Amino acid sequence: MQSFLELAAKSIFESHNKNDLQNLQVILPSRRAVFFFKKALSELSESPFFAPKIESIDDFILRTADFTTLDNVDLYFEIYGILSKIDPSQSFEKFMSWVPTLLKDFENIDFSLVENPHLLFKYMSEADALSRWELDNDYVFTSTAQSYFSFFDRISEVYEKLNEKLLKDKKCYRGMVYRKVAENPDWLLSNEIKKYYFVGLNALSKSEEKIIETLEKANMSECIWDTDDFYMNSQNKAGKKLRGYKKSGKFGKWNFQNSHLKNSEKKVRIFELNNDSLQSKLIYNLAQEARNQKHVIVVLDENQFLPLLLNIPALQLPFNISIGLPISSSHFSEVLRLLIGCYQNHEHNDDLKIHNSVLSKISDNQIFKSLIINEISLDKFDLLQTKIRASKKLFYDYNWFINQGLSCDLLQNFFRKGSALDCIESLEFILGKFFDIQGSDFRDLEYVFANVLKNKLNLIKEKLRLGIALNLKSFSALIEDLLKNERVPFEGDSDTPLQIMSMLETRCLDFECVTILSFNEGNLPSIKKTNSFFPFDACKIFGLPLYSDQDAIMAYHFFRLMQRAQTLNFLYLNGASEALGNKEKSRFIRQVEVELCIYNPKIKVSYPSVNFKHSENNKSGSDIIVKKESLSQITDFLVNKGLSASSINDYLSCSLRFYWKYILKIKNEDELKSQIGTDVFGTIVHKVLENLDKPYLDSKNPIDKEVLQNQKDEVENQLSLIKNEHKSFDFDSGMNLILISVVKKIIEKYFYKRESEFGGNFKILGIEKELTSIQAINNVELKLKGVIDKIELHPFGLRIIDYKTGKVELKDLHLDKDNDLAETLLNPEKSKLRQLIIYYFLIFSNKTGMEQDFGLKIILEDLQLVIYSFRNLGADISFNKSMFTHNEIIEAVNLLLTKIVSELLSTETCFVQTQDKNQCKYCDFINVCQRN
């Protein structure tokens, strides 16, 4: 089937003498369409000829007006220069928060040929609001409302003065130049062009309509449309604008209107996927399948572009990218933000220091890491990383690097203080180093981003040198806007079988195979509304674009892309992954399923299931499973390191975590934090209690109520000593101040509880008492170990105490006499009960030795096993031994240990990722599993 551009080229070529073609002008929606039109036209003649002038509509309008379009940065400074004279109190950083929206509104005013823009601004004024809302003339608006109305008075003046200045300098923004061409028909009529062809346009702005109407009245134009009966002869949104154009007749004879969507055979495959990773895998297969066809992959979500780019090259298939990406997609964007952040932090501080977390981000950045290695060598970089980890410092100054013999010019830029101009020079220094090592491992994308950034920084620097005042906060706001809104177009070899495009870039182009990614409601049609200062009623009255217009435009692009395609693959995400939130397939897919399939029975829709082959080590979907290839490491752990209540809890909760943590000994690298975490919080509580009890352990003096009171009074002094041991934390402000006061409060509350339950003097026999026991199981001498927080001697016998800074409830130790104790101990949720019972088992195993150490006889029946939960001190939480005999408890523990050891030493069992996602929330390996 011929493509639309081939048909259009043939129609124009056959309508004119070959020698007259050079006097024609062909205008298309995009430069991409220009390339393919030229290719189609060149194939129509075996002999050379002078081609028409072929341009995208933007290039055509700019050339006709002979104006220079200004960069957004230039326009921001121009607008701010005008506004600051009208309103000197306007700060640049506040201005930057709304000027992109204002500029878009100015564009729309001019594109829409609003006859008198001042009437639009007046419509938003206070006087018109009183009339429009039928309020009394003496109605008094709030100060906020008055500020809102006065804003439009100022903006009206800004619009007028901006246009005057730009016209004088023959400069413009995009909407303005369209307006000027539309208002000056002589610019079009007084040249050598005999006829203008407008090819493949769709939703025209008022200025575009007027330009074409002017040429049509002069009998100098012809429009070639790409439309289909499906939406032209119905109320489908895709034909909303086009039906109006056809009915009006103001654009001349209507052509082409075909019936491809009714008559041609099409294979539509709709893939429902759980997550992005499945989508990436499927794309690889679909691209491989269509390698001999003209295939387009339409990317609706720009966040998927980079992952796609990493997968496609593995096909070893030529491909082209035609998409615009924000600068924020670059690794350089993080470098910019970090450097500007450092300059801002140094602005009001004489100590030029940077936080450890900032230093980590700098050295982890892919680009900056390569630049540092290039400057100081890989060995020195590794040494630098090692010394940073070993130093355990929270803040660093540049002298630290010098003293370590690891000075680096690149890093020194982050320890500088200065103006926005100084910051730009630091950024330029880093960019310069980047360009010096071209040809390295960086992706070509990074060079494109770096060049754009370099040009933008030069532009800003030029403005600053002209005397424009810009502080670091304002400069940061400007850079943030650039990173967010400045899009870098990527264009390569257009004539490749595989094209990767945004939906907008597909205009006028046809493909045999079309694949649309993340075809979800919200992506197409998009839920992103264009911000505007003008409400719906103002847009409606003055003919500005509406949100519904954008919906109709995207509907046209979608159905037009379907017209000549033979195979269509629609991939949508079903939201099964928690990270995706609520997802549903696009309404356009539903229209294909419900309307188009009835309209054309030759369209066959299928719903293939996606199944990827798994390796032997991964037989249960996405779960991680590790087979045991050798038992020597496991045996060594059981004999030498030994099982503990904590490691048993880990094994029963997630055997994969147990494997990584205890067998492979993978440790979560200590992360320096400015705020104490739960681990440090718990350590402080335990340390305070240990320090308070140690004198009474050493002296063996009994503890009475007065001692408990004294210990409570001593808590604050002990906290002061411990704060000195943790100097990396600031305990005098912020969250740490609150947390340390919480520590004081809960420890004091603990002593109040001890006083209230006081039943007579007692002695402290052990603090952090470590006990071990050797058990022969399956020919292995298993070491079982445990550390008991505190052992007290009371008149009734021994009390074994375990402190918990987390919340423990009575139900955590609940036991049902009818349930088997051994089975209960295998329940992952019974970790607190299991710990106390293991302590009981260890005391039984070490009974003789402990009796010798303590100089007393231990009666196990009188043993009290207690948990003090600092988040639930009101509850009395203890293990009720009376429900089971001593032998039943010992037998249950033996059965628990035998089962675990047997599983660990069996090659038939694997280490498997837990199915309970709640176990993953605070797991050290959450970033490895990517479960949540």
Side-chain angles (χ1 to χ4, degrees):
M1 186 184 293
Q2 278 189 305
S3 71
F4 166 69
L5 291 179
E6 287 170 344
L7 289 168
K10 184 179 179 183
S11 175
I12 295 169
F13 185 80
E14 292 178 349
S15 299
H16 298 275
N17 184 292
K18 195 181 290 187
N19 294 328
D20 293 335
L21 290 172
Q22 61 186 313
N23 297 320
L24 306 179
Q25 169 87 56
V26 181
I27 297 126
L28 295 118
S30 67
R31 290 179 180 175
R32 180 76 50 194
V34 167
F35 171 85
F36 285 104
F37 182 88
K38 286 180 177 178
K39 184 173 182 288
L41 190 63
S42 69
E43 293 172 353
L44 294 172
S45 174
E46 294 180 359
S47 58
F49 61 92
F50 287 102
K53 196 180 289 279
I54 306 168
E55 294 174 298
S56 69
I57 191 163
D58 279 353
D59 292 338
F60 162 67
I61 295 294
L62 276 172
R63 182 182 54 77
T64 301
D66 194 25
F67 275 36
T68 303
T69 51
L70 285 180
D71 183 278
N72 275 0
V73 173
D74 273 316
L75 286 166
Y76 293 161
F77 282 111
E78 290 285 0
I79 294 171
Y80 185 70
I82 295 166
L83 182 65
S84 57
K85 291 176 183 175
I86 299 168
D87 180 13
S89 66
Q90 184 70 236
S91 68
F92 189 85
E93 53 268 25
K94 189 175 180 182
F95 164 80
M96 278 306 306
S97 68
W98 53 261
V99 69
T101 302
L102 178 71
L103 196 52
K104 188 66 181 172
D105 280 338
F106 283 0
E107 295 258 12
N108 287 333
I109 287 169
D110 288 339
F111 272 126
S112 303
L113 295 180
V114 174
E115 191 170 341
N116 187 346
H118 291 295
L119 290 177
L120 171 61
F121 295 120
K122 185 175 179 293
Y123 179 84
M124 303 301 296
S125 69
E126 182 176 348
D128 271 41
L130 285 169
S131 170
R132 194 164 65 252
W133 299 337
E134 298 180 355
L135 300 172
D136 296 333
N137 289 332
D138 59 352
Y139 182 87
V140 179
F141 285 102
T142 64
S143 58
T144 303
Q146 288 172 349
S147 174
Y148 171 79
F149 293 131
S150 64
F151 171 79
F152 287 99
D153 294 333
R154 296 194 298 274
I155 293 310
S156 177
E157 193 175 344
V158 168
Y159 175 83
E160 182 181 356
K161 291 187 175 180
L162 178 66
N163 272 265
E164 286 174 3
K165 188 174 188 310
L166 295 182
L167 275 174
K168 182 182 175 183
D169 298 336
K170 293 211 77 177
K171 294 177 180 176
C172 65
Y173 50 85
R174 189 164 167 260
M176 176 184 167
V177 72
Y178 272 75
R179 182 177 195 127
K180 295 308 170 190
V181 172
E183 291 174 344
N184 292 276
D186 291 346
W187 294 356
L188 295 165
L189 302 174
S190 60
N191 58 36
E192 73 281 3
I193 299 298
K194 303 299 181 186
K195 191 163 188 177
Y196 294 86
Y197 282 94
F198 294 90
V199 178
L201 300 183
N202 167 31
L204 305 173
S205 66
K206 294 281 178 57
S207 55
E208 289 169 326
E209 286 183 26
K210 187 170 182 180
I211 289 166
I212 298 173
E213 281 183 63
T214 300
L215 293 168
E216 183 63 31
K217 286 176 183 176
N219 201 28
M220 291 177 65
S221 77
E222 183 176 330
C223 292
I224 300 177
W225 312 93
D226 188 10
T227 58
D228 192 277
D229 291 342
F230 172 68
Y231 49 81
M232 292 300 289
N233 299 335
S234 69
Q235 292 305 305
N236 190 291
K237 268 188 177 182
K240 181 181 175 184
K241 286 270 189 180
L242 294 160
R243 290 192 294 269
Y245 298 154
K246 183 179 180 180
K247 186 177 180 181
S248 72
K250 60 186 178 182
F251 300 120
K253 180 186 174 185
W254 191 263
N255 55 38
F256 307 123
Q257 183 169 320
N258 57 60
S259 55
H260 295 313
L261 291 176
K262 182 175 185 179
N263 297 325
S264 61
E265 293 182 3
K266 299 183 189 300
K267 181 172 72 173
V268 177
R269 296 185 294 186
I270 300 172
F271 297 90
E272 179 184 357
L273 303 171
N274 290 338
N275 53 55
D276 283 324
S277 60
L278 281 178
Q279 186 168 238
S280 298
K281 290 178 184 177
L282 181 57
I283 278 298
Y284 180 92
N285 290 351
L286 294 176
Q288 190 77 263
E289 177 186 274
R291 63 187 305 119
N292 296 320
Q293 293 179 293
K294 289 177 64 180
H295 182 195
V296 65
I297 297 174
V298 181
V299 182
L300 302 179
D301 181 356
E302 65 189 25
N303 294 322
Q304 291 170 340
F305 171 70
L306 292 178
L308 180 64
L309 196 61
L310 293 173
N311 277 319
I312 292 297
L315 285 167
Q316 298 182 333
L317 182 70
F319 68 95
N320 173 61
I321 302 160
S322 181
I323 199 166
L325 286 177
I327 303 178
S328 57
S329 300
S330 163
H331 289 292
F332 253 117
S333 62
E334 186 182 30
V335 176
L336 254 74
R337 288 186 172 114
L338 289 168
L339 184 65
I340 294 169
C342 287
Y343 263 84
Q344 284 183 282
N345 288 336
H346 300 334
E347 188 175 14
H348 304 294
N349 292 306
D350 293 328
D351 292 335
L352 304 182
K353 294 182 178 180
I354 60 176
H355 194 276
N356 176 275
S357 61
V358 176
L359 187 60
S360 294
K361 288 177 184 176
I362 293 168
S363 57
D364 288 343
N365 182 275
Q366 184 180 332
I367 288 177
F368 207 77
K369 179 179 177 179
S370 297
L371 296 181
I372 296 174
I373 290 171
N374 186 65
E375 181 179 340
I376 65 174
S377 80
L378 178 59
D379 289 342
K380 281 196 172 184
F381 178 78
D382 290 340
L383 179 62
L384 175 63
Q385 294 286 74
T386 302
K387 290 199 171 187
I388 289 171
R389 283 193 294 268
S391 71
K392 299 291 183 183
K393 289 170 67 69
L394 200 59
F395 290 94
Y396 294 81
D397 58 19
Y398 191 65
N399 285 331
W400 183 86
F401 294 89
I402 295 172
N403 295 335
Q404 302 296 324
L406 294 167
S407 59
C408 173
D409 291 342
L410 279 160
L411 273 176
Q412 192 173 4
N413 285 281
F414 291 86
F415 296 91
R416 287 191 172 139
K417 185 175 184 176
S419 64
L421 194 57
D422 296 317
C423 187
I424 290 173
E425 286 174 357
S426 289
L427 288 167
E428 287 179 328
F429 177 82
I430 295 168
L431 282 167
K433 292 287 186 182
F434 175 75
F435 289 119
D436 286 345
I437 57 170
Q438 268 203 36
S440 65
D441 296 331
F442 298 128
R443 298 194 306 262
D444 289 340
L445 274 87
E446 296 298 342
Y447 288 108
V448 178
F449 283 125
N451 269 308
V452 172
L453 283 171
K454 183 181 178 183
N455 293 335
K456 297 294 180 186
L457 290 172
N458 281 336
L459 190 57
I460 297 169
K461 187 166 68 171
E462 184 183 324
K463 297 293 181 185
L464 293 176
R465 285 178 174 165
L466 289 173
I468 293 173
L470 198 67
N471 60 29
L472 284 168
K473 192 174 180 182
S474 301
F475 175 62
S476 177
L478 179 57
I479 290 295
E480 279 301 322
D481 177 79
L482 287 176
L483 294 178
K484 180 182 175 183
N485 297 319
E486 192 71 26
R487 307 189 77 79
V488 179
F490 287 92
E491 294 182 5
D493 179 9
S494 300
D495 198 16
T496 58
L498 177 60
Q499 300 281 332
I500 300 171
M501 296 180 166
S502 65
M503 181 60 83
L504 207 59
E505 283 294 328
T506 66
R507 289 172 296 178
C508 287
L509 307 183
D510 293 301
F511 301 90
E512 295 167 282
C513 181
V514 173
T515 299
I516 302 180
L517 302 189
S518 295
F519 202 172
N520 286 84
E521 193 69 18
N523 288 338
L524 190 72
S526 174
I527 57 171
K528 293 179 182 176
K529 295 186 179 181
T530 305
N531 290 331
S532 174
F533 285 117
F534 301 114
F536 177 82
D537 59 327
C539 293
K540 190 82 173 169
I541 292 168
F542 289 90
L544 294 173
L546 303 172
Y547 177 64
S548 57
D549 295 336
Q550 188 62 31
D551 241 17
I553 291 168
M554 297 316 292
Y556 169 76
H557 290 321
F558 168 65
F559 285 108
R560 193 214 64 78
L561 191 58
M562 281 193 70
Q563 286 171 194
R564 296 173 186 84
Q566 298 167 13
T567 304
L568 297 114
N569 302 309
F570 301 152
L571 284 63
Y572 75 94
L573 305 174
N574 61 15
S577 167
E578 292 178 8
L580 294 172
N582 186 24
K583 292 273 187 181
E584 61 176 301
K585 60 185 172 185
S586 169
R587 70 188 73 168
F588 293 149
I589 297 180
R590 297 188 186 279
Q591 283 182 25
V592 172
E593 293 172 312
V594 177
E595 296 177 33
L596 197 54
C597 286
I598 297 172
Y599 182 74
N600 179 6
K602 294 178 184 177
I603 296 176
K604 304 299 180 186
V605 177
S606 63
Y607 304 86
S609 59
V610 180
N611 293 306
F612 293 102
K613 291 181 181 178
H614 298 287
S615 67
E616 287 298 312
N617 282 349
N618 193 2
K619 293 182 179 177
S620 62
S622 59
D623 293 337
I624 301 173
I625 299 173
V626 177
K627 278 192 170 184
K628 299 169 188 172
E629 295 180 359
S630 170
L631 298 178
S632 58
Q633 279 183 298
I634 300 172
T635 304
D636 179 68
F637 167 76
L638 294 174
V639 172
N640 296 311
K641 293 294 181 183
L643 288 174
S644 64
S646 298
S647 62
I648 291 172
N649 290 341
D650 278 330
Y651 178 78
L652 295 174
S653 299
C654 176
S655 63
L656 183 66
R657 178 169 66 202
F658 172 88
Y659 172 69
W660 282 338
K661 187 173 179 180
Y662 299 101
I663 308 302
L664 293 187
K665 301 179 182 126
I666 298 173
K667 291 185 178 179
N668 195 27
E669 188 173 309
D670 291 339
E671 180 184 350
L672 283 178
K673 300 174 184 175
S674 55
Q675 181 179 315
I676 62 174
T678 53
D679 52 345
V680 178
F681 185 91
T683 301
I684 291 174
V685 170
H686 278 72
K687 191 65 179 173
V688 168
L689 291 172
E690 183 183 342
N691 290 349
L692 290 170
D693 285 333
K694 200 168 186 310
Y696 298 94
L697 172 67
D698 296 338
S699 66
K700 295 185 171 55
N701 289 333
I703 291 179
D704 54 23
K705 268 196 171 184
E706 186 180 348
V707 171
L708 291 172
Q709 178 66 51
N710 292 338
Q711 285 182 308
K712 177 162 58 71
D713 295 341
E714 183 65 19
V715 170
E716 192 159 354
N717 290 334
Q718 286 298 325
L719 281 174
S720 298
L721 295 173
I722 288 172
K723 282 194 284 186
N724 289 331
E725 295 174 11
H726 292 81
K727 290 183 178 178
S728 60
F729 296 105
D730 177 12
F731 288 104
D732 298 323
S733 61
M735 185 58 72
N736 289 343
L737 178 62
I738 296 171
L739 290 172
I740 207 70
S741 67
V742 170
V743 171
K744 179 175 179 288
K745 185 176 179 180
I746 62 173
I747 295 177
E748 288 175 346
K749 193 174 179 182
Y750 160 77
F751 280 111
Y752 280 123
K753 180 178 177 64
R754 295 305 306 265
E755 287 179 51
S756 67
E757 66 184 18
F758 187 78
N761 294 359
F762 62 89
K763 289 185 177 182
I764 298 174
L765 301 181
I767 300 173
E768 298 292 316
K769 180 72 173 176
E770 185 170 350
L771 299 175
T772 60
S773 172
I774 306 300
Q775 303 293 317
I777 301 175
N778 288 8
N779 299 318
V780 169
E781 296 293 310
L782 169 69
K783 179 180 181 182
L784 181 68
K785 62 183 181 180
V787 178
I788 299 173
D789 287 336
K790 190 177 180 184
I791 302 174
E792 295 177 349
L793 175 62
H794 288 259
F796 57 79
L798 294 186
R799 174 178 286 177
I800 309 302
I801 294 174
D802 187 54
Y803 298 127
K804 298 291 183 190
T805 50
K807 187 172 184 179
V808 182
E809 297 179 291
L810 289 170
K811 65 178 183 180
D812 294 320
L813 267 63
H814 175 72
L815 273 169
D816 189 338
K817 178 67 178 172
D818 296 330
N819 290 342
D820 184 65
L821 181 59
E823 286 297 320
T824 303
L825 292 182
L826 286 166
N827 184 347
E829 295 181 3
K830 291 295 183 181
S831 59
K832 311 298 187 301
L833 172 67
R834 189 163 43 246
Q835 186 168 2
L836 292 183
I837 290 178
I838 286 173
Y839 287 166
Y840 178 92
F841 184 89
L842 285 169
I843 291 170
F844 162 69
S845 302
N846 289 270
K847 183 171 177 287
T848 303
M850 291 176 71
E851 287 177 340
Q852 290 174 355
D853 290 343
F854 298 157
L856 53 84
K857 185 170 180 61
I858 296 174
I859 301 171
L860 292 172
E861 288 75 11
D862 296 335
L863 201 66
Q864 191 180 70
L865 298 148
V866 177
I867 290 177
Y868 283 103
S869 170
F870 288 92
R871 288 182 59 195
N872 190 20
L873 284 168
D876 294 321
I877 303 169
S878 61
F879 169 48
N880 183 6
K881 302 189 310 304
S882 62
M883 292 180 65
F884 300 95
T885 66
H886 166 75
N887 289 337
E888 284 176 329
I889 295 173
I890 300 304
E891 184 183 355
V893 175
N894 278 321
L895 287 171
L896 169 72
L897 297 175
T898 300
K899 181 171 177 55
I900 291 174
V901 171
S902 298
E903 286 182 2
L904 284 171
L905 295 177
S906 170
T907 54
E908 297 299 314
T909 61
C910 302
F911 295 108
V912 184
Q913 185 181 27
T914 180
Q915 294 300 311
D916 182 5
K917 292 184 180 179
N918 290 323
Q919 296 288 344
C920 304
K921 287 181 181 178
Y922 306 107
C923 178
D924 289 341
F925 304 103
I926 189 168
N927 292 324
V928 179
C929 290
Q930 295 290 307
R931 166 61 67 76
N932 282 6

